[in-house]
Amino acid sequence: MNKKKGIAILGSTGSIGTQTLEVIEAYPDYFDLQVITANNNVDLLIEQALKFHPNSVVISNESHYKKLKEALWNEDIHVYAGEDALCQVVESTDVDIVLTALVGYAGLRPTISAINAKKSIALANKETLVVAGELITQLAKENGVPIFPVDSEHSAIFQCLVGEFHNPIEKIYLTASGGPFRGYSIDQLSKVTLEQALKHPNWSMGAKITIDSASLMNKGLEVIEAKWLFNLQSHQIDVIVHPQSIVHSLVQFEDGSMKAQMGLPDMKLPIQFALTYPQRLKTDFPRFNFMDYPNLTFEQADRNVFKNLDLAYRVMEMKGTAACALNAANEVAVAAFLDNKISFLAISELNEHVVGEMTNILSPKYDDFVSVDLSAREITNQKIERL
Ligand code: NAD
Ligand code: MG
C-alpha cells in the first residue's frame, strides 16, 4: 500500500468542506487528514477536530481562538488562529494536497502559499482563479503543481480530457441549471425576494454561491475559471442551460466529436475525483436511472436578462485586473443582498458600475490584486450607501 495522501481542507465547515470530510471518512486507508480550518463556525470546527484528529486546526477569525484552544487542550492537535496561520499550515511536509473550500477572495493568499510549497491543489474556491488566474496558473506551472478542479462543470471537462490531454479542445460547453429564476424577464427579476433566491432547484450549497447561481454570476465566474484551467479563449467557452443538471459539461474536439460527463448531481463525486485522480474509487452513491429522466433538455442562457453572465465575458476580454474588480464588487453586493440591504437586480447593476469605475491594470502583480480588490470593495460600499 502506498503512503496515505495528506489532505488539508481550507473551509472544512462549509458545504464543500463537510462533503470532503464525508469522502475522507469513507476511505480511511487512502486519506490522512492533516489540516482543517474555518472562519467563524468554531463549534463545528471543534466537533470535526475531535472526530478526525487532524494534525492542525486553524480558525481565521481570531476572536474564536480561546474557545477553540480550550476545547482541544487535551488533544494532540496544533491550534492556530488568523489568516497568516492559514498560509503556514498548508506548507507542512505531511500535506500532499490542499482542497480550497473557503469562499471568496480570502482563498487567494493561502492558495499561493500552497503552490509555492509545491502542494497539489484541489480547487473549489473558483474566486481565486477569477481574481488572479494568470498569476496562479503561472505559479502552478513554475512549481510543477497540478490544479484539480472540484467545481462540477470543470471536473466534468477534466474527466472528459483524461486520455486526451494531447488533443486540442475546439470548445467547451459549461452547463447551467438556470437557477430558481430560469426564464424570468427583467421585470420579474426586479421583484424576487432573498428567500426565493436562496432556493436552488438542484444543489444545496453555501449562501454566496447560491445567490451567484440565481444571478448567473456563478456561471460567469465559471467561464473565467474554465479559461484559466483549460487555457481557452472566450470564443471557445459556451454556456448552455440544462435544468436537470445531469450532463455536468461537455468538450468538443477538433474532429467535431463531443464528450460529456454525466451523473446525478452530487458534489462528492468531483471532490473525490480531484483527491484520487487518476484513480476512481468505488462508491455507493445512488446511480442514474434513465427512466427517472426521460427528457434531458437544453436552452440558451439569456445574457440580456442575466447581465452578470454577459459582464463576465466582457471582463474576461478586458484581461488585467478587471475580473478581480468584478469579483470584489460581487462579493460586497451579494453580502448586502443577503443582509436585505439591496434588491436582487442591484447586484448586477453594482457589478457593472464598479467594473466601469476601476482602472484596469494590465500585467498585474500580486500587490495590484490586493489594491484593486480593496478599492473595488470601497467603491461598491459607497455606492450601496447612496442607493
Ligand atoms: P460555504 O459558505 O458553505 O463554506 C465556506 C467555508 O469557508 C466555511 O468553512 C467558512 O468557515 C470558510 N470561510 C468563509 N470565509 C472565510 C474567510 N474569509 N477566511 C477563511 N475561511 C473562510 O461555501 P461553499 O458552498 O462550501 O463554497 C466554497 C467554495 O467552493 C466557493 O468558492 C464556491 O464557489 C465553491 N463551490 C461550491 C460548490 C457547492 O456545491 N457548495 C460547488 C462548486 C464550487
Ligand atoms: Mg459549478
Side-chain angles (χ1 to χ4, degrees):
M1 172 90 200
N2 291 334
K3 178 184 159 288
K4 289 188 200 178
K5 265 193 194 175
I7 311 288
I9 308 175
L10 305 183
S12 62
T13 57
S15 161
I16 293 289
T18 50
Q19 293 181 85
T20 305
L21 285 174
E22 286 179 43
V23 168
I24 286 178
E25 197 178 3
Y27 305 100
D29 296 337
Y30 195 94
F31 299 117
D32 176 17
L33 184 65
Q34 284 289 322
V35 175
I36 54 175
T37 81
N39 193 29
N40 278 315
N41 194 346
V42 66
D43 294 327
L44 182 55
L45 190 65
I46 291 168
E47 201 182 294
Q48 293 177 341
L50 293 173
K51 178 170 177 185
F52 288 93
H53 274 92
N55 184 48
S56 305
V57 173
V58 182
I59 186 86
S60 290
N61 182 339
E62 298 180 27
S63 67
H64 300 299
Y65 176 71
K66 194 163 168 273
K67 185 170 187 186
L68 182 64
K69 184 80 187 158
E70 281 173 9
L72 302 179
W73 74 274
N74 206 13
E75 312 292 322
D76 190 17
I77 298 174
H78 301 285
V79 179
Y80 306 102
E83 284 174 29
D84 289 342
L86 217 54
C87 295
Q88 281 154 18
V89 285
V90 297
E91 296 174 350
S92 154
T93 41
D94 293 323
V95 170
D96 298 307
I97 180 159
V98 178
L99 192 136
T100 62
L102 67 186
V103 61
Y105 174 86
L108 178 60
R109 215 156 62 91
T111 307
I112 291 176
S113 297
I115 295 174
N116 280 330
K118 302 204 185 315
K119 309 301 181 187
S120 300
I121 306 293
L123 185 127
N125 176 247
K126 65 191 86 186
E127 293 92 342
T128 284
L129 275 190
V130 170
V131 168
E134 193 170 352
L135 179 93
I136 293 289
T137 47
Q138 185 59 33
L139 260 189
K141 207 167 154 190
E142 282 167 21
N143 284 284
V145 162
I147 301 179
F148 300 113
V150 169
D151 216 346
S152 59
E153 298 77 2
H154 305 73
S155 173
I157 302 289
F158 181 63
Q159 293 180 54
C160 293
L161 290 176
V162 172
E164 304 255 21
F165 292 117
H166 55 290
N167 283 324
I169 296 172
E170 189 164 84
K171 75 186 286 184
I172 65 170
Y173 290 90
L174 297 177
T175 52
S177 72
F181 307 135
R182 180 172 64 90
Y184 276 35
S185 63
I186 298 251
D187 190 44
Q188 287 173 301
L189 274 191
S190 70
K191 300 184 186 95
V192 301
T193 64
L194 173 59
E195 202 192 359
Q196 290 170 315
L198 281 170
K199 279 207 186 97
H200 194 277
N202 303 344
W203 300 95
S204 157
M205 310 177 285
K208 194 243 173 195
I209 183 175
T210 303
I211 301 305
D212 283 348
S213 299
S215 73
L216 288 205
M217 184 74 270
N218 182 53
K219 211 48 56 180
L221 301 179
E222 291 186 353
V223 166
I224 302 174
E225 180 186 13
K227 168 195 164 72
W228 294 115
L229 281 173
F230 306 113
N231 193 19
L232 301 171
Q233 305 292 316
S234 71
H235 66 87
Q236 293 176 289
I237 310 171
D238 222 334
V239 169
I240 192 88
V241 174
H242 167 48
Q244 298 82 18
S245 296
I246 296 296
V247 176
H248 298 309
S249 279
L250 309 94
V251 180
Q252 181 176 309
F253 293 97
E254 289 190 328
D255 60 357
S257 173
M258 296 172 86
K259 275 182 162 182
Q261 188 265 336
M262 299 170 58
L264 292 174
D266 184 342
M267 283 309 295
K268 289 203 289 297
L269 193 126
I271 289 169
Q272 177 167 318
F273 193 66
L275 295 178
T276 66
Y277 169 84
Q279 260 179 288
R280 288 188 184 273
L281 302 189
K282 189 171 173 56
T283 74
D284 56 7
F285 303 159
R287 301 314 198 230
F288 176 75
N289 177 352
F290 277 94
M291 292 312 112
D292 293 339
Y293 295 87
N295 296 304
L296 296 180
T297 60
F298 300 90
E299 56 195 68
Q300 202 66 47
D302 192 341
R303 281 163 62 166
N304 292 322
V305 172
F306 293 93
K307 294 182 187 297
N308 277 332
L309 180 57
D310 197 63
L311 184 58
Y313 272 98
R314 276 186 276 142
V315 302
M316 187 164 61
E317 305 251 313
M318 288 164 73
K319 302 197 171 104
T321 51
C324 173
L326 169 62
N327 177 71
N330 185 60
E331 285 190 28
V332 174
V334 169
F337 177 69
L338 285 168
D339 240 3
N340 265 315
K341 284 191 186 143
I342 61 170
S343 69
F344 184 73
L345 275 185
I347 300 173
S348 56
E349 285 161 14
L350 283 161
N351 290 346
E352 180 103 41
H353 170 80
V354 176
V355 169
E357 288 284 298
M358 295 287 301
T359 309
N360 188 21
I361 305 172
L362 295 172
S363 310
K365 307 268 181 307
Y366 174 73
D367 289 347
D368 297 317
F369 294 118
V370 177
S371 67
V372 166
D373 176 76
L374 205 67
S375 9
R377 279 169 200 272
E378 271 170 25
I379 297 178
T380 320
N381 275 317
Q382 284 163 8
K383 183 82 181 164
I384 289 172
E385 271 163 36
R386 279 185 266 115
L387 282 179

